[in-house]
Each structure stands twice: as C-alpha cells, then as structure tokens.
Amino acid sequence: MTVEKLIEAKLPKRVEYMRIIIMELSRITDHLVCNSVIGVDAGALTGFIYVFEEREKIYEIYEEICGARLTTNIGRIGGFERDFPQSAWDKLYKFIEDFPKVLKEFESCWYATASLWTELLVPVLLALKEL
C-alpha cells in the first residue's frame, strides 16, 4: 500500500474491500489464538482446541483464494492477481453465518471461569505495576 501511495495508484473499490476481508480474517485468527492460548497457560486446553477449528475454516478460505494457508500471497502492487473464486465467497458467507455462535460459546467459557482468570492474572498485573 505504501508503494501505491507513492505512485498515486487509484485502486478499484472491490480491491480495497477484498484486502480488508483478508486483513480482518487474519485479525480474527490472531485474536482466536492469542485469547485461547491464555487458557492453555492456565491449564484450559479445550477452548484452544475449539477455536482452532474456526481458524482452520479461515485457512481454508485463504487456500481457496490464493492456494496458501498461512500467507496470503495474492496481493500485488495495484491490486490482486485474480478475483476470489466463488468457492471462497461461499466459505466466507458460511463462516460469517456460523462464527457469531462459536464466538458466544467461546466467550461463555471465559465468563464461566472468570474467577479463575482473576485469581491468575490480577497478581501478575499487580507485580508488573510495581516494576
């Protein structure tokens, strides 16, 4: 995007939207892993494994888009090398439909163990504050 600004490239709105979709999917996978790994540190592996299934669904969308699972290699200066295939859109719509329920279930795991998190994290935060 920096080079595009430098050369004052005008991109179609569709390209901007497609980039945002990829970036937001990446952000979701990052937050799923980061938030669930805290549970692993406290001995709660179930939530971590549970959200990995959702991460896998996002990786399948990436794979449909560009053939890679972890890196989205489709982006180019000035846009994309190709449009998203219909199969990627289908998986994306399915993910958007299903993910809110999964997120609520994952959040309920956090709320059910709120006292555990308070007991584990508050002393750490207080110790860091003293540094």
Side-chain angles (χ1 to χ4, degrees):
M1 293 205 264
T2 302
V3 173
E4 291 167 351
K5 288 179 183 176
L6 183 66
I7 64 173
E8 298 178 3
K10 296 289 182 195
L11 303 178
K13 283 288 184 196
R14 182 173 181 84
V15 169
E16 292 178 15
Y17 294 144
M18 289 165 59
R19 282 183 175 169
I20 289 170
I21 289 168
I22 288 175
M23 288 186 283
E24 289 301 308
L25 287 172
S26 179
R27 184 181 60 83
I28 290 169
T29 58
D30 177 67
H31 288 166
L32 286 174
V33 172
C34 291
N35 287 315
S36 63
V37 84
I38 293 172
V40 173
D41 290 343
L45 186 61
T46 304
F48 183 70
I49 294 170
Y50 182 64
V51 297
F52 257 66
E53 185 176 337
E54 299 309 303
R55 187 184 111 169
E56 181 65 24
K57 290 175 186 175
I58 292 173
Y59 283 173
E60 288 175 5
I61 294 168
Y62 287 167
E63 194 170 19
E64 293 291 332
I65 291 170
C66 62
R69 296 176 52 79
L70 296 175
T71 57
T72 52
N73 61 0
I74 192 170
R76 304 289 187 268
I77 296 171
F80 289 96
E81 71 176 12
R82 62 186 172 275
D83 198 358
F84 291 3
Q86 185 59 46
S87 57
W89 290 111
D90 294 342
K91 287 182 179 185
L92 180 63
Y93 294 139
K94 177 85 170 111
F95 178 80
I96 291 170
E97 181 181 324
D98 296 343
F99 186 67
K101 179 183 177 223
V102 172
L103 185 60
K104 282 189 187 296
E105 290 173 358
F106 182 65
E107 287 175 346
S108 71
C109 291
W110 281 96
Y111 298 139
T113 59
S115 62
L116 170 68
W117 300 117
T118 303
E119 290 173 24
L120 290 171
L121 297 177
V122 169
V124 173
L125 294 173
L126 292 175
L128 288 173
K129 183 180 176 183
E130 292 176 9
L131 293 176

